[in-house]
Amino acid sequence: MIEVAIMGHGVVGSGVAEIITTHKRKLFSSIGEEIHIKHILDLREFPDSPLCDRFTKSFEDIINDVEVRVVAEVMGGINPAYDYTKRLLKAGKSVVTSNKELVASKGAELLQIAKENNANFLFEASVGGGIPIIRPLSQCLVANEVKEIAGILNGTTNFILTKMFDEGMDFDAALKLAQDLGFAERNPEADVEGHDACRKICILASLAFGKHVYPDNIHTEGITKITLSDVKYAASNDCVIKLIGDVKVLNDGKMDIFVAPMLINKKSQLANIDNEFNGIMVRGDCTGDVVFYGKGAGSMPTASAVVADIVDCCKHLKARKYLFWADSTNDNIIPYNKSETSVYLRFCAEDPESALIKVKDLFGDIRVLSIENKAENEFAVITPKLSIDKISDCLSKLNNDGVTVLSKIRIGDL
Ligand code: HSE
């Protein structure tokens, strides 16, 4: 019997306890021993839980229990998860986590501590919920030079954008529905402003390129400014809008990494990933494009990945899994204003016809979009590929000339 503990009994933690309980025989056949939940840490009371005798409010019960070999950290947030995880790893216990904030901000340090203490620190559930992506990237695709990773990494925003496209639902109503369905973070700002997706693309970039990418200085845009007009213009161009976390390696070896909404062609595999589903495309030099698809949020899908990591730790109690990246200072990342892209622009001007001529003069070879029943003073175009610097420069000149930009969204080549 292998004794484990679970820290947190929320959406994910209760799912972990449920899977370990209901899939006992399946897990036994994989490990050859039974997984037994010895402690569940939570400050709340769960008197009706069938595991009510395992609950504790004290972390000391877990850290001081020499029988506990593997701990699932599913509390979320940095504190006290970071402190607890460090102490557990230093005590030689393996830790698995679904906590993307923790991995994105402290991953290099925690992996180093795990290495020094011959313990494992695994985090399959931190990106893509139930979708296997950490293991495939670190093992199955390891023979490739990864050229680009682009993903729909946040279920809440994908759900909102799908509702806006398919049902013409407005942003607030769609967010409320996502919250009611349990996809959203406690603070939905992390979803809708792109921070959750940013943490996830940073984890994938760190893993693929071997150096920690910290989220702090990564350009991160959310979806709060997208309107139903943008949705119509995108559709008129055979595109959908998706919130994409993207990292690509440029010729000089530096990374272009950001999170932003993008217009992507309806034929792209990522365009057809809807609702709370996530999709991650990895461009390998040997494999070409490989796409991972599944439920990126929710109790049971995420818990499935946490339990898989518990099983992996149970099978490797004496050995380390080779999952590692080095610390870094983000010096291998280009500034966002040097990033190059075509963009969709929606403008408003008193005289749209002469404004369009000014836009053509500045941007060159643009494509004009048209929709039915467009607002009287509005027009929208797609620019050629230019640097963000150059685009900003043109937009400020137009603004000085009375042509106001209402929307600016990258065009994705995915
Ligand atoms: N709030 C996140 C999402 C949960 O919507 O994808 C999973 O990380």
Side-chain angles (χ1 to χ4, degrees), residues 12 98 100 125-129 153-158 178 182-186 190-191 196-197 200 276 278 296-298 302:
V12 180
S98 57
K100 50 256 159 165
S126 66
V127 181
L153 299 168
N154 182 268
T156 302
T157 44
N158 203 37
F183 309 139
E185 296 295 305
R186 268 174 294 182
D191 294 302
D196 179 70
K200 292 168 179 168
E276 78 274 26
N278 283 192
T302 311

Side-chain angles (χ1 to χ4, degrees), residues 5 7 39 41 56-66 68 83-84 87-88 93:
M7 302 196 297
H39 307 285
L41 178 69
T56 175
K57 292 184 171 49
S58 171
F59 170 70
E60 304 307 317
D61 286 343
I62 296 174
I63 187 88
N64 293 327
D65 188 334
V66 288
V68 170
D83 180 45
Y84 289 177
R87 289 179 61 195
L88 290 162
K93 299 182 194 297

Side-chain angles (χ1 to χ4, degrees), residues 276-296:
E276 78 274 26
F277 284 79
N278 283 192
I280 303 156
M281 186 206 64
V282 181
R283 272 186 180 155
D285 65 341
C286 308
T287 55
D289 292 358
V290 181
V291 179
F292 300 84
Y293 168 79
K295 283 188 180 163

